[in-house]
Amino acid sequence: MSDLIIIVPARLASQRFPRKLLHTVRGKPLILWTADRLAVEAPEYPVHFAVADPELQSVLEDAGYQAHLTDPDLPTGTDRVAALNETLGAPMVINAQADEPLVGGAQLHALADLLLQGAEMCTLACPFQEEQDFRDPNQVKVALDASGKALYFSRASIPFHRGDASWGGSTLAFRHLGLYGYSADFLQLFVGLPQTPLEKSERLEQLRALEHGHDVMVSMTQDVTVGIDVPADIQRFEQCLDRPKTNQ
């Protein structure tokens, strides 16, 4: 077993896009686009899928990937990752998202670097380029301290720019990307912590770590993943597939 592995939690239940992980894009289920991408972008890290549905397990295993059934009643993807790693026993885990089929190797290696430097929990962020995205509550913002630790995550537009009517620009405003790295010890600790008021208010699980006094290290990236949340996102994904590879 490698010291660092990637675990991808996956389930078919999705309110905004039911059964999206089995939605076929150019003849291949979405979850296999993600699996194939991970295999190419970070081949040195074993990839395991923590799935809630036998149907997903069959699709993945038929394609040659390691898929493990987990309790379908687990409340979050992080719980699913933690449950599987109790069995696998890897010292460090990257939690990749099954519905982000364009995750890049640079992003995965950035998380790995933070874990190898001793981070107990880490994640990624990138600069906002457009004010409309910064104002969008569906795009999570993160404010950082001088050492790269997260001060706060919010759906609100942070930081507020008091100087004038503008939004402050991309040198101040950072979008959180939903990939995480954990030490195994912290991962087990984290899923046992009670939910916190800010976590419940913002519906952002990572706030639980901050509210309980733990650091979340953040690595900056210029690469933006494409998350598939609603059916309309499939078109965005296909447009990315049609671009020259260097532009993805």
Side-chain angles (χ1 to χ4, degrees):
M1 172 63 66
S2 170
D3 283 348
L4 193 155
I5 66 173
I6 298 171
I7 298 181
V8 186
R11 63 190 183 101
L12 287 177
S14 174
Q15 292 183 341
R16 290 184 291 175
F17 190 171
R19 295 175 61 82
K20 65 181 177 181
L21 294 181
L22 292 181
H23 181 87
T24 300
V25 179
R26 299 185 179 180
K28 183 163 68 174
L30 178 62
I31 196 166
L32 291 186
W33 282 100
T34 301
D36 292 347
R37 180 79 171 191
L38 290 168
V40 168
E41 292 291 320
E44 67 270 43
Y45 304 137
V47 179
H48 297 262
F49 287 81
V51 303
D53 309 274
E55 195 172 355
L56 285 173
Q57 183 182 34
S58 295
V59 167
L60 287 160
E61 289 184 342
D62 288 348
Y65 292 103
Q66 300 185 76
H68 313 258
L69 273 177
T70 54
D71 184 348
D73 293 327
L74 288 170
T76 70
T78 309
D79 288 290
R80 210 169 298 288
V81 170
L84 178 54
N85 199 50
E86 281 194 75
T87 299
L88 297 178
M92 294 171 285
V93 176
I94 290 175
N95 176 357
Q97 305 301 312
D99 58 4
E100 293 193 355
L102 291 179
V103 61
Q107 296 168 326
L108 297 167
H109 292 128
L111 291 174
D113 287 345
L114 288 176
L115 290 172
L116 291 168
Q117 293 166 22
E120 59 181 8
M121 179 175 179
C122 55
T123 190
L124 300 175
C126 66
F128 278 103
Q129 300 299 328
E130 302 292 339
E131 183 173 0
Q132 63 183 12
D133 294 332
F134 178 64
R135 305 293 181 194
D136 183 353
N138 292 314
Q139 299 202 37
V140 177
K141 276 65 71 174
V142 58
L144 308 177
D145 73 6
S147 66
K149 295 177 184 176
L151 291 169
Y152 191 63
F153 297 88
S154 183
R155 297 185 185 278
S157 302
I158 59 169
F160 176 76
H161 191 61
R162 189 176 179 182
D164 53 43
S166 71
W167 63 291
S170 61
T171 59
L172 291 175
F174 303 115
R175 174 190 168 194
H176 176 235
L177 304 180
L179 291 90
Y180 295 94
Y182 302 95
S183 71
D185 289 343
F186 181 74
L187 178 59
Q188 294 303 325
L189 172 67
F190 179 76
V191 296
L193 293 173
Q195 284 191 308
T196 51
L198 292 174
E199 174 190 3
K200 292 177 181 178
S201 176
E202 295 259 20
R203 295 190 178 181
L204 296 175
E205 190 180 59
Q206 62 270 33
L207 287 172
R208 187 188 317 171
L210 297 183
E211 287 187 85
H212 283 286
H214 295 276
D215 292 334
V216 179
M217 297 299 300
V218 181
S219 182
M220 297 301 299
T221 177
Q222 296 300 316
D223 299 327
V224 180
T225 57
V226 175
I228 309 298
D229 297 316
V230 295
D233 291 331
I234 293 294
Q235 183 177 4
R236 291 175 53 234
F237 174 45
E238 290 190 302
Q239 289 171 347
C240 290
L241 293 177
D242 290 332
R243 294 174 189 163
K245 192 171 184 180
T246 55
N247 293 335
Q248 286 186 15

